[in-house]
Every structure is written in structure tokens, then in C-alpha cells.
Amino acid sequence: MQDILRQALKLALLSALVASSAFAAPQSQDPPSQEPAKTSPPAQQQTPPQTGSQPVQQKDTVTPKNSKEDVEAIGNRNVGKGVNLYSLEREISLGKQLAQEVERSSKLIDDPVVTEYVNRVGQNLVRNSDARVPFTIKVIDSDEINAFALPGGFFYVNSGLILHAMEESELAGVMAHEISHVTARHGTKNATKGELMQLATIPLILLGPGGWAGYGIYQGLNLAIPVTYLKFSRDAEREADFLGLQYMYKAGYDPNSYVTFFERIQADEKRRPGSIPKVFSTHPPTPERIENTQKEIARILPARQEYIVTTSEFDSVKSRLRNIMFTRKVGDNAPGKPTLRTKTEQSKKQPTGNDPNSTDDDRPTLKRRPDSQP
């Protein structure tokens, strides 16, 4: 027994050391989130804040400090490095399992025109990213403005996001951001931290009052919840902003559209407080985040003569999707469909007062147990 406890203590020390480096890894991998304000030239710092109608002024040539800032090196750099217990094969297997859960609880858009278009836009971004896994892209039938990518490249775009985007480049910007979470392997890095923390608690459980019984309880707990793979730290969100800008730029889109979409979301929230979409609830498009994005555009993305802003195909697909959603809602409200009766509607059917002759079957009745005493 003492040998077992001694080995458990060694495991705790090793886990603590590895866990500490795991928590430090995202900080060391995300220098761009802090460098721009310090390294930008004075003239650039004095430039007034940009707005959605005023594109960020870009330089004709830029000098990247490292490969992570070099858009020409995209695809040949190890973006997802860091402490990670998941191999790419295991990450894909994990993502497949999570995707099955998503599709069990969601309704997918199966229109071939819509799905083919969204998949084509996404795959173009993937080809111009640091992705090391294949992507499967599907559209969820939901009014919520949202998109999310699971580990292993299983990517879902809500119909609400497509309808809310004004231009194809805005849709591409949000999709590029989510693709970045996969290329940087944020989901499995989060899971790695959780697993290392769990390993570090085993010796404490063994030495506690429960002993081996406590260890049995520990094994029965499912501490790794799916939100681990979708809820990211502020550093991870900054890195996804940083990489997403590069991916949409590399694919030919105007990176300013990323800013204008954020600004419109922010304006909607100011007009109607509480209306901010859930996708932005944990890391909202704050002025600081928008400003950092503008600085990155000016600092690392060389100017181009032309950008893709939108296409006629985007407009036609958006119109087609709007008709699909309208038809679905009409069908849901069709006569004969099951409906929920409100409390007010139910009370209208009940007579006023305590009528002993009431025969309302909806009212509960109390019965005396046969074995109860009077």
C-alpha cells in the first residue's frame, strides 16, 4: 500500500509540473495579442480609430517578425504546437463523437444549393489555413447567429448567421475565426489541461478519508464536459482573431469585413440591450477587440488592389435560405400541429369559484389512500 501511495505522490508532482507548463503555453504562443500596441510606429498610433465605413489603411509591404505573422508561410508553420495529450487521429475521433451528439440534437439544412455553397466557402478558407485535418462543414437550421467548429474539423454554421451577414466576406470572417480554433487545437488543449488536473487530484483522493473507495468514485465521474471544446480563454479568442484575419485575407476576402460585422453586432446591442447573440456572449466584440483587430490588419497584412467583398451567389443563396426558413416556420404553425396551452388559456376553461360539480378533467383530484386513518 505504501508503494502505491508513493507512486501516486510521484504522479501528483509530475502532473503538477506538466499542468503548470500547459497553463503557460497559451500565453507564450500568443505574442501578437500584446505586441501591436508596443511595436506599431508612432504615426500609426496617432491614427484615429477606424470605423466600418473607413477601411484600415494597409502598407504596401510588411516585415513579419516570425512565421506566425507571415501570411505567405500559411500552411507551412506549426500553429497548433503546445502541450497536448491528443494525437491528430484521436482528435478526429473525438470530434466525430461530438459531431454525432450535435446532429442528434439539431436539425440540419439539407438543401443542396445552400449546403454546397457554404461548404465551398469554408473549404476555400481551409485550403488557405494551417489546417492539418480535413473539414466537414454542415448548416444547422437555427435562427441563432452562431457557428462553431469541433476538434478534428467538424464545422457547423447556423442559418441565422448566414441571414445576418450582409456580405460574403462577413460570413467568411466568422467562419475563418472558427477554423482558427481547430488549427490552433484550442479544444484538445483545453481537454488536456482538464485531464492533467484530474490526474493531479488522484493522490489527494487516495490519501483522503475515502481511500480506494474515493478513487472508485473519481473513476465514475465524467468531468470532461463538451463545453470544454467550445468555450475558450481570452487568449485563445485573440489568437483565433489573429489567425482568422490571415486566413480570410489569404483566401482573397477583405479583412475589414471582420471589423464591420463586429461593429454591427455591437451597434445592435447598444440599440437593444440584451440582444447580443450567444456566439459573442462570452467574448463580446468590445471596442478593445475591434481596435486590436484593426491594428493587426494595418501591421501584418500588405495592401492589395482588389478584395472579395461579396458575390451575387451569396445574395441568391441567402434569399433561397430565407425562403426555406419561412416555409419551415409556416409549416410549424400549420393547423393541426401540437401546441402548448398557456396557463391563461387553461384558466379560461375553468369555472370561477369552487364549484363541486365541476367536471374539468384537466384539474388534479386528490384521493385518500385506502390504508389511511380517518
Side-chain angles (χ1 to χ4, degrees):
M1 184 66 180
Q2 291 180 352
D3 292 338
I4 295 175
L5 292 178
R6 190 179 300 108
Q7 292 298 327
L9 288 174
K10 289 182 180 179
L11 175 62
L13 292 174
L14 178 61
S15 301
L17 290 174
V18 178
S20 64
S21 62
F23 281 108
Q27 300 287 344
S28 61
Q29 290 180 34
D30 195 18
S33 62
Q34 297 179 354
E35 287 182 0
K38 298 179 181 178
T39 60
S40 300
Q44 186 174 327
Q45 290 181 343
Q46 295 173 3
T47 302
Q50 305 286 346
T51 63
S53 59
Q54 183 182 4
V56 176
Q57 296 298 317
Q58 297 171 251
K59 300 176 184 178
D60 292 333
T61 59
V62 297
T63 305
K65 294 183 176 180
N66 50 55
S67 63
K68 196 172 180 181
E69 295 184 1
D70 188 359
V71 291
E72 298 303 324
I74 289 177
N76 298 311
R77 50 191 191 176
N78 191 7
V79 168
K81 64 182 180 180
V83 177
N84 198 326
L85 297 179
Y86 289 75
S87 64
L88 288 177
E89 291 75 15
R90 186 185 175 197
E91 183 169 327
I92 293 173
S93 177
L94 169 65
K96 186 176 181 179
Q97 294 175 15
L98 295 175
Q100 291 173 350
E101 294 297 326
V102 169
E103 295 181 23
R104 263 196 288 266
S105 59
S106 304
K107 178 178 174 55
L108 298 179
I109 296 289
D110 57 4
D111 182 82
V113 174
V114 174
T115 55
E116 190 278 331
Y117 167 77
V118 175
N119 180 67
R120 182 156 29 92
V121 171
Q123 296 297 348
N124 183 35
L125 292 165
V126 172
R127 283 193 300 271
N128 290 279
S129 75
D130 297 290
R132 299 171 60 194
V133 296
F135 271 69
T136 302
I137 305 173
K138 297 182 180 181
V139 181
I140 292 180
D141 183 349
S142 172
D143 293 332
E144 183 178 305
I145 305 171
N146 198 3
F148 60 93
L150 299 171
F154 296 87
F155 189 9
Y156 296 90
V157 179
N158 281 12
S159 55
L161 172 64
I162 302 171
L163 295 177
H164 195 78
M166 300 295 291
E167 300 164 338
E168 183 178 298
S169 53
E170 291 186 352
L171 173 63
V174 177
M175 293 180 72
H177 175 93
E178 296 303 323
I179 290 171
S180 299
H181 282 306
V182 177
T183 62
R185 309 189 70 191
H186 289 151
T188 48
K189 286 180 181 177
N190 277 358
T192 295
K193 295 175 188 176
E195 290 185 15
L196 292 175
M197 290 180 65
Q198 290 179 24
L199 289 173
T201 61
I202 293 178
L204 299 179
I205 295 175
L206 292 177
L207 295 174
W212 284 104
Y215 180 66
I217 296 174
Y218 167 85
Q219 285 186 311
L221 294 177
N222 182 17
L223 301 180
I225 55 178
V227 73
T228 302
Y229 308 108
L230 297 175
K231 189 174 182 180
F232 305 114
S233 67
R234 191 165 300 174
D235 285 338
E237 291 293 340
R238 278 198 292 260
E239 185 177 30
D241 283 344
F242 182 76
L243 295 174
L245 282 175
Q246 297 182 48
Y247 298 160
M248 68 182 298
Y249 171 88
K250 184 73 171 177
Y253 291 103
D254 183 2
N256 290 281
S257 297
Y258 193 73
V259 178
T260 57
F261 185 77
F262 268 15
E263 288 179 327
R264 194 164 71 257
I265 294 295
Q266 189 182 53
D268 291 344
E269 173 65 15
K270 288 182 179 179
R271 272 197 309 270
R272 293 176 298 169
S275 65
I276 190 168
K278 290 183 179 179
V279 68
F280 301 112
S281 60
T282 53
H283 300 281
T286 59
E288 178 186 4
R289 188 176 179 186
I290 293 174
E291 183 180 355
N292 287 339
T293 300
Q294 292 170 327
K295 288 180 179 179
E296 301 299 350
I297 294 174
R299 190 173 68 88
I300 66 171
L301 302 181
R304 283 182 173 170
Q305 293 295 324
E306 294 180 341
Y307 289 110
I308 300 173
V309 176
T310 194
T311 62
S312 58
E313 187 179 15
F314 169 77
D315 296 330
S316 63
V317 167
K318 185 176 176 180
S319 176
R320 184 184 182 94
L321 181 59
R322 186 179 289 109
N323 290 335
I324 293 172
M325 301 295 286
F326 177 76
T327 303
R328 187 258 295 170
K329 290 181 179 179
V330 170
D332 290 344
N333 296 327
K337 288 282 186 177
T339 58
L340 293 176
R341 186 171 58 190
T342 64
K343 185 176 181 181
T344 303
E345 292 173 340
Q346 184 174 351
S347 62
K348 288 180 181 178
K349 296 178 61 178
Q350 297 178 358
T352 56
N354 297 324
D355 185 359
N357 298 322
S358 174
T359 59
D360 190 347
D361 293 335
D362 289 334
R363 298 181 62 187
T365 58
L366 300 177
K367 295 182 180 180
R368 184 185 298 276
R369 291 176 53 184
D371 56 347
S372 61
Q373 297 296 326

